[in-house]
Amino acid sequence: APVWSIAQHPEKRDTYVVGSEVGVYITSDAGQTWNAIRAPFTAAAQDISFLQGSSTLLVGTYGRGLWTVDLSN
């Protein structure tokens, strides 16, 4: 599936999040393994970014609005 955007976690060096045509995926081992972030959305994620100075991920979806996810754990 096409990947639309990628963001590196501001506090965890090997943690990346990608927004794709089929949802949002996260890796905590620099891309060796990936897991889907299912809640609260499974829509195409056009744009992702971390809120400045926090572990809150902003996810802009196509047709489902803007979502936030706390990735502090």
Side-chain angles (χ1 to χ4, degrees):
V3 172
W4 299 107
S5 55
I6 185 168
Q8 183 179 21
H9 194 286
E11 299 168 357
K12 300 175 184 175
R13 183 176 179 202
D14 291 335
T15 300
Y16 294 88
V17 183
V18 297
S20 75
E21 185 68 26
V22 293
V24 179
Y25 292 84
I26 188 168
T27 180
S28 59
D29 56 12
Q32 296 297 313
T33 58
W34 292 88
N35 294 301
I37 298 176
R38 301 240 181 250
F41 48 80
T42 56
Q46 297 288 319
D47 195 21
I48 60 171
S49 179
F50 281 92
L51 190 61
Q52 187 173 355
S54 76
S55 295
T56 300
L57 181 69
L58 304 173
V59 180
T61 66
Y62 183 74
R64 302 282 177 153
L66 177 69
W67 297 88
T68 60
V69 178
D70 181 15
L71 296 178
S72 59
N73 312 15

